[in-house]
mmCIF file of all heavy atoms in Angstrom:
data_model
loop_
_atom_site.group_PDB
_atom_site.id
_atom_site.type_symbol
_atom_site.label_atom_id
_atom_site.label_comp_id
_atom_site.label_asym_id
_atom_site.label_seq_id
_atom_site.Cartn_x
_atom_site.Cartn_y
_atom_site.Cartn_z
ATOM 1 N N GLY N 1342 -31.616 3.172 -78.163
ATOM 2 C CA GLY N 1342 -30.444 2.425 -77.631
ATOM 3 C C GLY N 1342 -29.271 2.341 -78.562
ATOM 4 O O GLY N 1342 -28.327 1.610 -78.242
ATOM 5 N N PHE N 1343 -29.269 3.134 -79.606
ATOM 6 C CA PHE N 1343 -28.183 3.048 -80.606
ATOM 7 C C PHE N 1343 -26.807 3.383 -79.954
ATOM 8 O O PHE N 1343 -25.835 2.667 -80.272
ATOM 9 C CB PHE N 1343 -28.426 3.988 -81.803
ATOM 10 C CG PHE N 1343 -27.281 3.930 -82.811
ATOM 11 C CD1 PHE N 1343 -27.080 2.823 -83.618
ATOM 12 C CD2 PHE N 1343 -26.350 4.966 -82.911
ATOM 13 C CE1 PHE N 1343 -25.976 2.695 -84.439
ATOM 14 C CE2 PHE N 1343 -25.274 4.845 -83.736
ATOM 15 C CZ PHE N 1343 -25.114 3.755 -84.587
ATOM 16 N N GLN N 1344 -26.764 4.362 -79.048
ATOM 17 C CA GLN N 1344 -25.465 4.746 -78.477
ATOM 18 C C GLN N 1344 -24.937 3.661 -77.689
ATOM 19 O O GLN N 1344 -23.735 3.367 -77.722
ATOM 20 C CB GLN N 1344 -25.745 5.946 -77.482
ATOM 21 C CG GLN N 1344 -24.362 6.467 -76.877
ATOM 22 C CD GLN N 1344 -24.656 7.670 -75.958
ATOM 23 O OE1 GLN N 1344 -25.687 8.198 -75.881
ATOM 24 N NE2 GLN N 1344 -23.538 8.085 -75.340
ATOM 25 N N GLU N 1345 -25.739 2.849 -76.940
ATOM 26 C CA GLU N 1345 -25.238 1.665 -76.225
ATOM 27 C C GLU N 1345 -24.871 0.501 -77.116
ATOM 28 O O GLU N 1345 -24.105 -0.375 -76.793
ATOM 29 C CB GLU N 1345 -26.264 1.269 -75.218
ATOM 30 C CG GLU N 1345 -26.528 2.254 -74.045
ATOM 31 C CD GLU N 1345 -27.368 3.496 -74.518
ATOM 32 O OE1 GLU N 1345 -28.326 3.285 -75.284
ATOM 33 O OE2 GLU N 1345 -27.023 4.592 -74.124
ATOM 34 N N LYS N 1346 -25.553 0.432 -78.324
ATOM 35 C CA LYS N 1346 -25.290 -0.714 -79.237
ATOM 36 C C LYS N 1346 -24.392 -0.405 -80.417
ATOM 37 O O LYS N 1346 -24.161 -1.399 -81.193
ATOM 38 C CB LYS N 1346 -26.711 -1.147 -79.728
ATOM 39 C CG LYS N 1346 -27.728 -1.526 -78.672
ATOM 40 C CD LYS N 1346 -27.265 -2.693 -77.909
ATOM 41 C CE LYS N 1346 -28.329 -3.082 -76.862
ATOM 42 N NZ LYS N 1346 -27.890 -4.232 -76.078
ATOM 43 N N GLU N 1347 -23.859 0.719 -80.402
ATOM 44 C CA GLU N 1347 -23.119 1.202 -81.618
ATOM 45 C C GLU N 1347 -21.911 0.214 -81.881
ATOM 46 O O GLU N 1347 -21.568 -0.084 -83.070
ATOM 47 C CB GLU N 1347 -22.618 2.601 -81.482
ATOM 48 C CG GLU N 1347 -21.909 3.116 -82.735
ATOM 49 C CD GLU N 1347 -21.635 4.627 -82.575
ATOM 50 O OE1 GLU N 1347 -21.808 5.263 -81.531
ATOM 51 O OE2 GLU N 1347 -21.209 5.200 -83.611
ATOM 52 N N GLU N 1348 -21.180 -0.230 -80.839
ATOM 53 C CA GLU N 1348 -20.030 -1.048 -81.021
ATOM 54 C C GLU N 1348 -20.388 -2.404 -81.697
ATOM 55 O O GLU N 1348 -19.502 -3.001 -82.370
ATOM 56 C CB GLU N 1348 -19.337 -1.310 -79.708
ATOM 57 C CG GLU N 1348 -18.644 0.047 -79.180
ATOM 58 C CD GLU N 1348 -17.768 -0.230 -77.969
ATOM 59 O OE1 GLU N 1348 -17.669 -1.413 -77.547
ATOM 60 O OE2 GLU N 1348 -17.284 0.717 -77.357
ATOM 61 N N ILE N 1349 -21.540 -2.875 -81.443
ATOM 62 C CA ILE N 1349 -21.896 -4.276 -82.024
ATOM 63 C C ILE N 1349 -22.842 -4.145 -83.180
ATOM 64 O O ILE N 1349 -23.314 -5.068 -83.704
ATOM 65 C CB ILE N 1349 -22.521 -5.115 -80.891
ATOM 66 C CG1 ILE N 1349 -23.828 -4.614 -80.332
ATOM 67 C CG2 ILE N 1349 -21.496 -5.481 -79.842
ATOM 68 C CD1 ILE N 1349 -24.536 -5.473 -79.425
ATOM 69 N N ASN N 1350 -23.072 -2.901 -83.694
ATOM 70 C CA ASN N 1350 -23.977 -2.669 -84.782
ATOM 71 C C ASN N 1350 -23.271 -3.003 -86.073
ATOM 72 O O ASN N 1350 -22.778 -2.112 -86.797
ATOM 73 C CB ASN N 1350 -24.502 -1.254 -84.803
ATOM 74 C CG ASN N 1350 -25.506 -0.998 -85.863
ATOM 75 O OD1 ASN N 1350 -26.386 -1.822 -86.148
ATOM 76 N ND2 ASN N 1350 -25.341 0.186 -86.509
ATOM 77 N N ASP N 1351 -23.250 -4.261 -86.468
ATOM 78 C CA ASP N 1351 -22.476 -4.707 -87.654
ATOM 79 C C ASP N 1351 -23.439 -4.731 -88.863
ATOM 80 O O ASP N 1351 -24.186 -5.713 -89.025
ATOM 81 C CB ASP N 1351 -21.920 -6.112 -87.438
ATOM 82 C CG ASP N 1351 -21.186 -6.627 -88.667
ATOM 83 O OD1 ASP N 1351 -21.001 -5.831 -89.696
ATOM 84 O OD2 ASP N 1351 -20.822 -7.797 -88.670
ATOM 85 N N THR N 1352 -23.491 -3.662 -89.666
ATOM 86 C CA THR N 1352 -24.416 -3.562 -90.741
ATOM 87 C C THR N 1352 -23.837 -4.302 -91.961
ATOM 88 O O THR N 1352 -24.579 -4.560 -92.954
ATOM 89 C CB THR N 1352 -24.715 -2.133 -91.128
ATOM 90 O OG1 THR N 1352 -23.422 -1.458 -91.431
ATOM 91 C CG2 THR N 1352 -25.327 -1.416 -89.945
ATOM 92 N N LYS N 1353 -22.584 -4.712 -91.995
ATOM 93 C CA LYS N 1353 -22.070 -5.476 -93.146
ATOM 94 C C LYS N 1353 -22.689 -6.805 -93.262
ATOM 95 O O LYS N 1353 -22.984 -7.280 -94.451
ATOM 96 C CB LYS N 1353 -20.588 -5.611 -92.959
ATOM 97 C CG LYS N 1353 -19.797 -4.334 -93.172
ATOM 98 C CD LYS N 1353 -18.282 -4.628 -93.086
ATOM 99 C CE LYS N 1353 -17.521 -3.317 -93.188
ATOM 100 N NZ LYS N 1353 -16.003 -3.536 -93.086
ATOM 101 N N TYR N 1354 -23.045 -7.479 -92.184
ATOM 102 C CA TYR N 1354 -23.583 -8.767 -92.206
ATOM 103 C C TYR N 1354 -24.922 -8.774 -92.880
ATOM 104 O O TYR N 1354 -25.119 -9.545 -93.869
ATOM 105 C CB TYR N 1354 -23.816 -9.315 -90.739
ATOM 106 C CG TYR N 1354 -24.426 -10.707 -90.755
ATOM 107 C CD1 TYR N 1354 -23.688 -11.829 -91.059
ATOM 108 C CD2 TYR N 1354 -25.729 -10.879 -90.596
ATOM 109 C CE1 TYR N 1354 -24.238 -13.046 -91.100
ATOM 110 C CE2 TYR N 1354 -26.383 -12.088 -90.568
ATOM 111 C CZ TYR N 1354 -25.614 -13.177 -90.850
ATOM 112 O OH TYR N 1354 -26.190 -14.419 -90.937
ATOM 113 N N PRO N 1355 -25.951 -8.011 -92.529
ATOM 114 C CA PRO N 1355 -27.190 -8.042 -93.195
ATOM 115 C C PRO N 1355 -27.077 -7.676 -94.707
ATOM 116 O O PRO N 1355 -27.777 -8.183 -95.618
ATOM 117 C CB PRO N 1355 -28.100 -7.163 -92.472
ATOM 118 C CG PRO N 1355 -27.229 -6.198 -91.732
ATOM 119 C CD PRO N 1355 -26.031 -6.999 -91.403
ATOM 120 N N MET N 1356 -26.230 -6.678 -95.007
ATOM 121 C CA MET N 1356 -25.993 -6.227 -96.351
ATOM 122 C C MET N 1356 -25.397 -7.336 -97.250
ATOM 123 O O MET N 1356 -25.737 -7.629 -98.344
ATOM 124 C CB MET N 1356 -25.145 -4.964 -96.402
ATOM 125 C CG MET N 1356 -25.886 -3.795 -95.882
ATOM 126 S SD MET N 1356 -27.483 -3.438 -96.664
ATOM 127 C CE MET N 1356 -27.037 -3.138 -98.370
ATOM 128 N N ASN N 1357 -24.392 -8.004 -96.604
ATOM 129 C CA ASN N 1357 -23.823 -9.151 -97.343
ATOM 130 C C ASN N 1357 -24.817 -10.301 -97.643
ATOM 131 O O ASN N 1357 -24.886 -10.879 -98.690
ATOM 132 C CB ASN N 1357 -22.683 -9.778 -96.523
ATOM 133 C CG ASN N 1357 -21.360 -9.073 -96.603
ATOM 134 O OD1 ASN N 1357 -21.189 -8.307 -97.634
ATOM 135 N ND2 ASN N 1357 -20.477 -9.251 -95.799
ATOM 136 N N MET N 1358 -25.695 -10.589 -96.639
ATOM 137 C CA MET N 1358 -26.661 -11.579 -96.826
ATOM 138 C C MET N 1358 -27.688 -11.203 -97.926
ATOM 139 O O MET N 1358 -28.105 -12.021 -98.747
ATOM 140 C CB MET N 1358 -27.422 -11.852 -95.562
ATOM 141 C CG MET N 1358 -26.517 -12.382 -94.369
ATOM 142 S SD MET N 1358 -25.647 -13.877 -94.787
ATOM 143 C CE MET N 1358 -26.873 -15.083 -94.373
ATOM 144 N N LEU N 1359 -28.036 -9.931 -97.898
ATOM 145 C CA LEU N 1359 -29.001 -9.456 -98.977
ATOM 146 C C LEU N 1359 -28.377 -9.557 -100.365
ATOM 147 O O LEU N 1359 -29.023 -9.994 -101.333
ATOM 148 C CB LEU N 1359 -29.410 -8.026 -98.623
ATOM 149 C CG LEU N 1359 -30.407 -7.456 -99.629
ATOM 150 C CD1 LEU N 1359 -31.686 -8.244 -99.654
ATOM 151 C CD2 LEU N 1359 -30.713 -5.908 -99.255
ATOM 152 N N VAL N 1360 -27.178 -9.123 -100.487
ATOM 153 C CA VAL N 1360 -26.517 -9.198 -101.829
ATOM 154 C C VAL N 1360 -26.293 -10.622 -102.242
ATOM 155 O O VAL N 1360 -26.492 -10.977 -103.468
ATOM 156 C CB VAL N 1360 -25.138 -8.376 -101.757
ATOM 157 C CG1 VAL N 1360 -24.308 -8.661 -103.029
ATOM 158 C CG2 VAL N 1360 -25.296 -6.897 -101.539
ATOM 159 N N TYR N 1361 -25.924 -11.479 -101.296
ATOM 160 C CA TYR N 1361 -25.805 -12.886 -101.659
ATOM 161 C C TYR N 1361 -27.062 -13.479 -102.246
ATOM 162 O O TYR N 1361 -27.133 -14.222 -103.201
ATOM 163 C CB TYR N 1361 -25.366 -13.643 -100.397
ATOM 164 C CG TYR N 1361 -25.160 -15.129 -100.581
ATOM 165 C CD1 TYR N 1361 -24.362 -15.661 -101.560
ATOM 166 C CD2 TYR N 1361 -25.834 -16.086 -99.780
ATOM 167 C CE1 TYR N 1361 -24.152 -16.993 -101.757
ATOM 168 C CE2 TYR N 1361 -25.653 -17.406 -99.947
ATOM 169 C CZ TYR N 1361 -24.814 -17.891 -100.975
ATOM 170 O OH TYR N 1361 -24.628 -19.269 -101.129
ATOM 171 N N ALA N 1362 -28.179 -13.111 -101.544
ATOM 172 C CA ALA N 1362 -29.510 -13.629 -101.985
ATOM 173 C C ALA N 1362 -29.852 -13.117 -103.396
ATOM 174 O O ALA N 1362 -30.445 -13.778 -104.285
ATOM 175 C CB ALA N 1362 -30.584 -13.157 -100.970
ATOM 176 N N TYR N 1363 -29.514 -11.811 -103.716
ATOM 177 C CA TYR N 1363 -29.674 -11.292 -105.016
ATOM 178 C C TYR N 1363 -28.839 -12.119 -106.016
ATOM 179 O O TYR N 1363 -29.332 -12.476 -107.139
ATOM 180 C CB TYR N 1363 -29.241 -9.798 -105.035
ATOM 181 C CG TYR N 1363 -30.353 -8.772 -104.848
ATOM 182 C CD1 TYR N 1363 -30.359 -8.083 -103.627
ATOM 183 C CD2 TYR N 1363 -31.441 -8.631 -105.690
ATOM 184 C CE1 TYR N 1363 -31.381 -7.125 -103.343
ATOM 185 C CE2 TYR N 1363 -32.393 -7.795 -105.451
ATOM 186 C CZ TYR N 1363 -32.421 -6.998 -104.279
ATOM 187 O OH TYR N 1363 -33.453 -6.141 -104.040
ATOM 188 N N GLN N 1364 -27.611 -12.379 -105.701
ATOM 189 C CA GLN N 1364 -26.784 -13.141 -106.576
ATOM 190 C C GLN N 1364 -27.285 -14.481 -106.883
ATOM 191 O O GLN N 1364 -27.138 -14.997 -107.971
ATOM 192 C CB GLN N 1364 -25.392 -13.278 -105.997
ATOM 193 C CG GLN N 1364 -24.612 -11.852 -105.927
ATOM 194 C CD GLN N 1364 -23.276 -12.091 -105.186
ATOM 195 O OE1 GLN N 1364 -23.039 -13.030 -104.502
ATOM 196 N NE2 GLN N 1364 -22.390 -11.040 -105.261
ATOM 197 N N LYS N 1365 -28.002 -15.049 -105.969
ATOM 198 C CA LYS N 1365 -28.505 -16.423 -106.095
ATOM 199 C C LYS N 1365 -29.994 -16.434 -106.659
ATOM 200 O O LYS N 1365 -30.660 -17.430 -106.739
ATOM 201 C CB LYS N 1365 -28.462 -17.203 -104.825
ATOM 202 C CG LYS N 1365 -27.100 -17.463 -104.336
ATOM 203 C CD LYS N 1365 -26.364 -18.357 -105.234
ATOM 204 C CE LYS N 1365 -24.990 -18.643 -104.741
ATOM 205 N NZ LYS N 1365 -24.234 -19.569 -105.636
ATOM 206 N N HIS N 1366 -30.491 -15.200 -106.978
ATOM 207 C CA HIS N 1366 -31.842 -15.031 -107.455
ATOM 208 C C HIS N 1366 -32.910 -15.558 -106.465
ATOM 209 O O HIS N 1366 -33.827 -16.279 -106.860
ATOM 210 C CB HIS N 1366 -32.034 -15.720 -108.845
ATOM 211 C CG HIS N 1366 -31.029 -15.294 -109.900
ATOM 212 N ND1 HIS N 1366 -31.283 -14.195 -110.644
ATOM 213 C CD2 HIS N 1366 -29.874 -15.725 -110.288
ATOM 214 C CE1 HIS N 1366 -30.224 -13.976 -111.438
ATOM 215 N NE2 HIS N 1366 -29.367 -14.936 -111.220
ATOM 216 N N MET N 1367 -32.669 -15.268 -105.177
ATOM 217 C CA MET N 1367 -33.544 -15.872 -104.163
ATOM 218 C C MET N 1367 -34.192 -14.821 -103.285
ATOM 219 O O MET N 1367 -34.570 -15.095 -102.172
ATOM 220 C CB MET N 1367 -32.711 -16.807 -103.321
ATOM 221 C CG MET N 1367 -32.208 -18.061 -103.987
ATOM 222 S SD MET N 1367 -31.239 -19.122 -102.893
ATOM 223 C CE MET N 1367 -30.938 -20.541 -103.912
ATOM 224 N N VAL N 1368 -34.352 -13.677 -103.778
ATOM 225 C CA VAL N 1368 -34.903 -12.517 -102.998
ATOM 226 C C VAL N 1368 -36.406 -12.663 -102.827
ATOM 227 O O VAL N 1368 -37.082 -12.748 -103.913
ATOM 228 C CB VAL N 1368 -34.522 -11.119 -103.530
ATOM 229 C CG1 VAL N 1368 -35.139 -10.061 -102.658
ATOM 230 C CG2 VAL N 1368 -32.947 -11.017 -103.566
ATOM 231 N N ASN N 1369 -36.932 -12.676 -101.703
ATOM 232 C CA ASN N 1369 -38.412 -12.586 -101.505
ATOM 233 C C ASN N 1369 -38.709 -11.956 -100.088
ATOM 234 O O ASN N 1369 -37.737 -11.669 -99.315
ATOM 235 C CB ASN N 1369 -39.126 -13.912 -101.653
ATOM 236 C CG ASN N 1369 -38.585 -14.944 -100.648
ATOM 237 O OD1 ASN N 1369 -38.364 -14.703 -99.550
ATOM 238 N ND2 ASN N 1369 -38.372 -16.205 -101.184
ATOM 239 N N GLU N 1370 -39.931 -11.754 -99.769
ATOM 240 C CA GLU N 1370 -40.276 -11.038 -98.582
ATOM 241 C C GLU N 1370 -39.926 -11.908 -97.292
ATOM 242 O O GLU N 1370 -39.409 -11.281 -96.368
ATOM 243 C CB GLU N 1370 -41.812 -10.847 -98.476
ATOM 244 C CG GLU N 1370 -42.322 -9.892 -99.519
ATOM 245 C CD GLU N 1370 -43.892 -9.788 -99.582
ATOM 246 O OE1 GLU N 1370 -44.468 -10.755 -99.165
ATOM 247 O OE2 GLU N 1370 -44.378 -8.785 -100.123
ATOM 248 N N VAL N 1371 -40.085 -13.205 -97.311
ATOM 249 C CA VAL N 1371 -39.750 -14.005 -96.129
ATOM 250 C C VAL N 1371 -38.271 -13.984 -95.907
ATOM 251 O O VAL N 1371 -37.683 -13.911 -94.783
ATOM 252 C CB VAL N 1371 -40.254 -15.461 -96.338
ATOM 253 C CG1 VAL N 1371 -39.867 -16.313 -95.157
ATOM 254 C CG2 VAL N 1371 -41.744 -15.398 -96.434
ATOM 255 N N MET N 1372 -37.414 -14.052 -96.978
ATOM 256 C CA MET N 1372 -35.992 -13.982 -96.811
ATOM 257 C C MET N 1372 -35.609 -12.645 -96.195
ATOM 258 O O MET N 1372 -34.767 -12.557 -95.289
ATOM 259 C CB MET N 1372 -35.334 -14.062 -98.237
ATOM 260 C CG MET N 1372 -33.836 -13.863 -98.242
ATOM 261 S SD MET N 1372 -33.325 -12.113 -98.262
ATOM 262 C CE MET N 1372 -34.222 -11.493 -99.698
ATOM 263 N N PHE N 1373 -36.265 -11.594 -96.666
ATOM 264 C CA PHE N 1373 -35.933 -10.249 -96.085
ATOM 265 C C PHE N 1373 -36.370 -10.195 -94.633
ATOM 266 O O PHE N 1373 -35.597 -9.577 -93.796
ATOM 267 C CB PHE N 1373 -36.640 -9.153 -96.889
ATOM 268 C CG PHE N 1373 -36.315 -7.783 -96.487
ATOM 269 C CD1 PHE N 1373 -35.051 -7.242 -96.847
ATOM 270 C CD2 PHE N 1373 -37.211 -6.936 -95.829
ATOM 271 C CE1 PHE N 1373 -34.749 -5.952 -96.472
ATOM 272 C CE2 PHE N 1373 -36.883 -5.683 -95.421
ATOM 273 C CZ PHE N 1373 -35.657 -5.086 -95.794
ATOM 274 N N LEU N 1374 -37.392 -10.717 -94.304
ATOM 275 C CA LEU N 1374 -37.815 -10.814 -92.913
ATOM 276 C C LEU N 1374 -36.786 -11.502 -92.037
ATOM 277 O O LEU N 1374 -36.519 -11.004 -90.982
ATOM 278 C CB LEU N 1374 -39.182 -11.606 -92.855
ATOM 279 C CG LEU N 1374 -39.767 -11.876 -91.422
ATOM 280 C CD1 LEU N 1374 -40.070 -10.578 -90.691
ATOM 281 C CD2 LEU N 1374 -41.029 -12.729 -91.582
#
Side-chain angles (χ1 to χ4, degrees):
F1343 179 73
Q1344 183 177 356
E1345 293 75 43
K1346 303 295 181 181
E1347 186 171 7
E1348 289 187 4
I1349 60 173
N1350 182 42
D1351 180 8
T1352 58
K1353 290 183 180 179
Y1354 177 81
M1356 292 305 299
N1357 275 344
M1358 299 302 277
L1359 181 61
V1360 172
Y1361 179 56
Y1363 268 112
Q1364 292 173 346
K1365 296 296 182 180
H1366 304 275
M1367 294 178 174
V1368 179
N1369 60 41
E1370 293 172 339
V1371 177
M1372 173 279 304
F1373 186 73
L1374 173 63

